[in-house]
Amino acid sequence: MIVELSLKQKTATLACITAAACGLSLAIGPRMLPQTLLTAVTLYLLSGERPTLLFATVRTLPRDINAAWVFLRLSLVLHRYEKRKMTVVRRFEEVAARNPSKVALLMDDQRFTFDEVRRLSDRVSCHFRSKGFSRGDTVALMMETRCEYPCVWLGLAKLGVVTALINTNLRRETLRHSIAVANSKAIIVSEELAGAIAEIIDQDGIKGLPIFVYGSDQSSEQTKFDQLPEAENLRQALDGVQCDEDLSTIWRDISPRDKLVYIYTSGTTGMPKAAVITNSRFIMMGTGVYYMLALRDDDIIYNSLPLYHSAGGMVGIGSVLLCGLTAALRKKFSASNFFADCIKYNCTVAQYIGEICRFVLTTPAKPTDTQHQVRMMFGNGLRPQIWTQFASRFNIKQIGEFYGSTEGNSNL
């Protein structure tokens, strides 16, 4: 649909077309054929809805040129990564080496620097390597949002082990299917979700699998989990791991086209389906947002989205692991605490998806609505009907709306 121009805009557009035509006519001089062509083009531009299209083209030209330039930069970066056979682990190691003491992940009172993420992921690698896991194996990860979440799958990725990121809301048959369909060789589950695994422990595809429970701060080395008595306390095991071997001899052989993680579809049309996320696809998503939205190296991104989905786990975490930004995480989205959290963590960018913005907009007005430092929000699903109202109320200067699907092969 073409939006009608105001009288002032239309008059200005028609005047510009006429003035340009007159100028060209004087420059051409008394030559019949060029003058005839110029007259035809001028009449064409002055007729119908073409002045509106021309006005829109001129108004959006700077934006389009900038977008083309940014896309070119991104394409060159991705091309360079492809030539270097870049993987997520390799890129993260480069980022961590440059910014070892910079905070990578924030949540509640936790602060993980890039070096701490690297060291924890190394311990995960060494521990699972000692258990016999190797390139091509799959491990299911069912854990609520926490700073350790990306460290676990990153550590497995250093071995070439694929992590199936399990939706923490799944139960019984849907949960069993999601773990079994990925041909998982083991299950890592947080202590809070151990009961969900206990319900399916004797079912086909689950029975006999090694189970590692990531315990709470209070669990000790001798802790036995009542619901999963045979499970290993992974948190305590990792605390005791001494990882002295050079893991780069393993992860340097991993290909950009190798599988990194499985991310599941929502399951609205049947059982959840595991979408294959390769290293190259993860890099494209994580790096793409950084360049297309011109994020800054000192940005702190508020990410209240689930880390088992592509928006929170690929785009949000990808900007940290691949680009060196900082992410502030929240265990579960809260509309009333959205901007309060942004203030708490000094966030400059925030993510949204689906109806998050509408939920936040329905909260009562309060001082924190504009006391934050968030200059940009990005995601997908912000309805046009509330776009202007949301940006105005919360003083968001820029909103980056993109489209993509976990199982698709294109993004906008």
Side-chain angles (χ1 to χ4, degrees):
M1 183 181 70
I2 298 177
V3 179
E4 282 292 327
L5 297 181
S6 66
L7 179 61
K8 183 178 179 180
Q9 290 172 332
K10 192 165 187 176
T11 302
T13 303
L14 294 174
C16 287
I17 294 173
T18 304
C22 291
L24 285 173
S25 178
L26 291 173
I28 291 171
R31 286 183 286 177
M32 180 65 69
L33 182 59
Q35 288 286 1
T36 302
L37 290 174
L38 176 60
T39 302
V41 171
T42 303
L43 291 174
Y44 176 80
L45 292 176
L46 291 172
S47 62
E49 295 179 335
R50 293 180 188 89
T52 303
L53 292 173
L54 187 61
F55 178 86
T57 300
V58 173
R59 282 289 299 272
T60 58
L61 188 60
R63 179 203 66 186
D64 294 341
I65 292 174
N66 180 66
W69 165 243
V70 172
F71 184 74
L72 176 61
R73 286 182 61 205
L74 172 61
S75 298
L76 291 173
V77 168
L78 294 177
H79 177 70
R80 187 169 70 248
Y81 284 172
E82 186 176 8
K83 296 284 284 185
R84 294 178 57 199
K85 297 183 178 180
M86 187 66 71
T87 62
V88 170
V89 171
R90 183 188 293 263
R91 178 57 186 160
F92 168 75
E93 291 290 333
E94 292 179 352
V95 170
R98 286 203 307 266
N99 309 285
S101 59
K102 182 180 179 180
V103 175
L105 301 166
L106 299 162
M107 184 172 169
D108 299 328
D109 296 326
Q110 282 188 306
R111 301 286 188 276
F112 275 39
T113 65
F114 279 92
D115 188 58
E116 288 171 331
V117 172
R118 182 189 61 78
R119 286 189 282 114
L120 178 54
S121 63
D122 281 351
R123 293 201 300 274
V124 171
S125 295
C126 289
H127 184 65
F128 279 86
R129 180 171 165 79
S130 71
K131 297 290 183 179
F133 291 88
S134 60
R135 184 175 179 176
D137 289 339
T138 299
V139 172
L141 174 62
M142 188 178 186
M143 181 184 288
E144 74 287 344
T145 295
R146 59 201 307 167
C147 290
E148 293 92 336
Y149 190 104
C151 303
V152 171
W153 68 250
L154 183 65
L156 293 171
K158 291 183 177 184
L159 299 177
V161 173
V162 185
T163 308
L165 307 182
I166 305 298
N167 187 325
T168 56
N169 296 306
L170 300 183
R171 295 295 183 271
R172 299 182 177 85
E173 176 56 23
T174 310
L175 175 58
R176 186 208 67 80
H177 166 83
S178 298
I179 296 173
V181 76
N183 194 27
S184 301
K185 300 293 180 64
I187 301 171
I188 301 173
V189 61
S190 58
E191 186 174 359
E192 296 88 341
L193 298 169
I197 299 298
E199 291 178 341
I200 60 171
I201 193 65
D202 293 322
Q203 296 185 15
D204 291 342
I206 308 298
K207 189 174 183 179
L209 292 181
I211 298 177
F212 303 85
V213 177
Y214 200 92
S216 64
D217 293 334
Q218 289 74 35
S219 56
S220 66
E221 190 171 358
Q222 289 75 35
T223 297
K224 291 295 183 182
F225 304 103
D226 294 337
Q227 296 166 308
L228 298 169
E230 302 302 319
E232 177 182 306
N233 187 330
L234 181 59
R235 186 190 190 104
Q236 293 300 326
L238 293 177
D239 287 343
V241 170
Q242 296 294 326
C243 191
D244 299 322
E245 61 180 306
D246 183 8
L247 294 170
S248 66
T249 59
I250 302 173
W251 55 255
R252 287 187 187 280
D253 290 333
I254 296 172
S255 164
R257 299 186 184 279
D258 282 352
K259 298 174 185 176
L260 178 71
V261 295
Y262 293 124
I263 294 182
Y264 291 79
T265 60
S266 60
T268 52
T269 57
M271 288 292 187
K273 301 169 184 64
V276 176
I277 307 299
T278 62
N279 278 271
S280 58
R281 179 166 173 77
F282 190 99
I283 289 174
M284 186 272 289
M285 291 290 289
T287 308
V289 168
Y290 174 81
Y291 280 95
M292 295 304 290
L293 295 179
L295 298 180
R296 304 168 185 169
D297 291 341
D298 60 349
D299 275 331
I300 300 176
I301 301 177
Y302 182 60
N303 182 357
S304 60
L305 308 178
L307 300 186
Y308 52 76
H309 278 166
S310 54
M314 285 177 63
V315 177
I317 294 299
S319 63
V320 176
L321 302 181
L322 305 174
C323 305
L325 274 60
T326 301
L329 308 176
R330 184 179 177 88
K331 187 173 183 178
K332 190 175 182 180
F333 163 72
S334 168
S336 59
N337 289 303
F338 192 90
F339 283 106
D341 279 349
C342 291
I343 294 171
K344 175 182 177 181
Y345 298 115
N346 296 315
C347 295
T348 53
V349 179
Q351 281 188 263
Y352 67 85
I353 192 171
E355 296 293 295
I356 279 182
C357 293
R358 184 174 66 84
F359 294 149
V360 175
L361 192 60
T362 59
T363 60
K366 47 187 177 294
T368 54
D369 288 354
T370 55
Q371 290 175 348
H372 56 80
Q373 301 177 51
V374 176
R375 73 174 192 283
M376 177 198 301
M377 290 184 63
F378 69 88
N380 64 295
L382 178 55
R383 296 187 181 188
Q385 296 89 337
I386 66 169
W387 186 305
T388 302
Q389 183 185 1
F390 183 88
S392 175
R393 173 179 164 181
F394 298 107
N395 193 29
I396 306 299
K397 295 179 174 58
Q398 182 181 355
I399 293 179
E401 175 82 5
F402 65 85
Y403 171 79
S405 62
T406 304
E407 68 277 18
N409 56 11
S410 65
N411 301 279
L412 297 173

